[in-house]
Amino acid sequence: MALTIINSIASWFLRKRIDQIEEFIKRPHEVQENVCAKLLEAAQSTEMGKQYDFISIRNYEDFAARIPISIYEDIEPMIERARRGEENLFWRTPIKWFAKSSGTTNAKSKFIPVSEEALQYCHYKAGKDMLCLYLNNNPDSNLFTGKSLRLGGSKELYEENGTIFGDLSAILIDNLPFWAEFSCTPSTKVSLMSEWEAKMKAIIAESSRENVTSLVGVPSWMMVLLRQALAYTGKENVLEIWKNLEVYFHGGVSFVPYRDQYKQLIPSDSFRYYETYNASEGFFAIQDRNNSDEMLLMLDYGIFYEFIPMDSFGTPSQKAIPLWEVEIGKNYAMVITTNAGLWRYQIGDTVRFTSTSPYRIKITGRTKHHI
């Protein structure tokens, strides 16, 4: 009875956000222009803000003409200064966290700034919106009568010169509010274990005793976990372990190669799959309809979006365009300006718009694969 009440209250609370989502769907260009203006205002007194005279930027044309598009190597010197504890370089509030990710052209690790604003108003807001959109489409859901089984690539966090770096998933788990511990499995202690094999065994031992209603994680890793859970419990399929399991929130890689394998592991026509699009740099899009292969671009997370048409990418005629100039079916490199101090930053991903009312996208790959 108590769990049913909790489920009803949590569902009601999360669905209230739908009105705000519908607002940016109705007024996408105005919302994005407002995001850009607020970011410029917030950073006008920073070193970057003074260098490019943010205070005098009046519109998108000024913004695009004044601030250069960058890749990680361009901003690495300033990132390193911030990691040594310097403040007010590219964002007004202190940057304590840096998400370490591999994959630059020179094989060095990237250290992506994660501000308090990015944590609260991008990453955590997106986590709630993921649930909100799912519940809006599935009003009979019993998601909160059980727990969410989360699987991140979490490793240890490392402190250096007063700042902390590690996997984004470790940063997110380490900063979760205390009440989130009650709705997730495994415990934070197990989630942050660094040794993979020991961690998998601990997750399975702890989570197999819980009433798990949702899964969250990258398809490849989650597949390994589920197969090991079946071996551990001696069950034939995943629903024999967790009979109330109803949805899997996945992202990070294409789900297409895994779909049939998951249907074998979770043999249910009513089970739902929801795709998300997030990275160290931010959380960008969430599937907003059942049985869809498109994601809604989330426009009010403190991220301003621009897009470079791939038919001119890397050429002298390359030019970024704002959201209101994109076309359906074209391939674009994504450029972001964020509330963690990334300014017109190429994240290396390519997307294609399937709709402009609302703005829905599919991930199509990486820029280096198209060059």
Side-chain angles (χ1 to χ4, degrees), residues 227 236-238 259-267 273:
R227 291 194 189 284
E236 291 292 319
N237 67 68
V238 173
R259 191 174 295 279
D260 289 342
Q261 295 175 72
Y262 271 91
K263 285 185 176 178
Q264 291 176 2
L265 291 171
I266 308 170
Y273 297 90

Side-chain angles (χ1 to χ4, degrees), residues 318-353:
Q318 170 182 301
K319 182 191 174 188
I321 59 174
L323 183 68
W324 47 91
E325 292 183 17
V326 300
E327 298 176 35
I328 292 172
K330 277 195 171 183
N331 220 22
Y332 295 101
M334 199 152 82
V335 176
I336 58 171
T337 296
T338 77
N339 54 4
L342 295 175
W343 296 93
R344 305 195 80 204
Y345 179 76
Q346 281 182 204
I347 63 171
D349 289 343
T350 60
V351 299
R352 176 167 51 83
F353 282 86

Side-chain angles (χ1 to χ4, degrees), residues 106-363:
N106 58 13
K108 288 171 65 178
S109 292
K110 295 187 289 186
F111 293 89
I112 303 300
V114 182
S115 66
E116 183 64 27
E117 292 90 338
L119 276 176
Q120 298 302 328
Y121 305 117
C122 181
H123 293 287
Y124 290 149
K125 187 176 182 179
K128 288 181 277 192
D129 283 355
M130 179 179 76
L131 301 175
C132 165
L133 289 164
Y134 173 75
L135 292 167
N136 189 58
N137 292 324
N138 301 280
D140 297 329
S141 167
N142 288 305
L143 202 63
F144 295 104
T145 59
K147 293 191 174 185
S148 176
L149 172 52
R150 63 188 179 194
L151 180 61
S154 308
K155 299 174 185 173
E156 294 175 25
L157 294 167
Y158 304 91
E159 187 165 352
E160 207 172 74
N161 302 313
T163 61
I164 298 169
F165 69 89
D167 283 4
L168 176 68
S169 52
I171 293 171
L172 295 177
I173 289 169
D174 198 59
N175 283 280
L176 279 172
F178 75 92
W179 50 263
E181 183 84 5
F182 300 111
S183 61
C184 295
T185 185
S187 62
T188 297
K189 181 181 177 181
V190 170
S191 293
L192 294 175
M193 288 174 66
S194 56
E195 207 286 303
W196 179 250
E197 289 300 326
K199 174 179 171 176
M200 291 293 270
K201 289 176 182 176
I203 290 174
I204 292 165
E206 191 174 303
S207 301
S208 61
R209 301 191 299 267
E210 299 284 1
N211 174 30
V212 172
T213 54
S214 65
L215 307 173
V216 182
V218 175
S220 50
W221 299 343
M222 185 63 73
M223 174 86 56
V224 173
L225 176 70
L226 296 181
R227 291 194 189 284
Q228 290 192 17
L230 291 176
Y232 175 83
T233 59
K235 303 296 185 182
E236 291 292 319
N237 67 68
V238 173
L239 295 175
E240 290 181 8
I241 306 174
W242 300 298
K243 63 179 182 180
N244 296 316
L245 191 64
E246 59 177 85
V247 61
Y248 173 29
F249 299 103
H250 61 88
V253 296
S254 170
F255 191 61
V256 174
Y258 299 97
R259 191 174 295 279
D260 289 342
Q261 295 175 72
Y262 271 91
K263 285 185 176 178
Q264 291 176 2
L265 291 171
I266 308 170
S268 168
D269 292 335
S270 61
F271 187 78
R272 304 289 188 196
Y273 297 90
Y274 264 62
E275 186 175 5
T276 62
Y277 176 22
N278 68 310
S280 299
E281 295 88 350
F283 208 119
F284 311 124
I286 304 170
Q287 181 182 327
D288 64 320
R289 298 176 296 177
N290 288 338
N291 307 314
S292 173
D293 61 353
E294 307 163 318
M295 290 177 284
L296 180 69
L297 192 65
M298 306 304 285
L299 304 180
D300 64 349
Y301 286 177
I303 298 174
F304 180 72
Y305 295 99
E306 295 175 272
F307 303 88
I308 303 172
M310 285 306 293
D311 54 14
S312 66
F313 183 83
T315 71
S317 61
Q318 170 182 301
K319 182 191 174 188
I321 59 174
L323 183 68
W324 47 91
E325 292 183 17
V326 300
E327 298 176 35
I328 292 172
K330 277 195 171 183
N331 220 22
Y332 295 101
M334 199 152 82
V335 176
I336 58 171
T337 296
T338 77
N339 54 4
L342 295 175
W343 296 93
R344 305 195 80 204
Y345 179 76
Q346 281 182 204
I347 63 171
D349 289 343
T350 60
V351 299
R352 176 167 51 83
F353 282 86
T354 58
S355 164
T356 54
S357 184
Y359 285 97
R360 291 196 180 99
I361 61 170
K362 287 184 178 182
I363 304 167

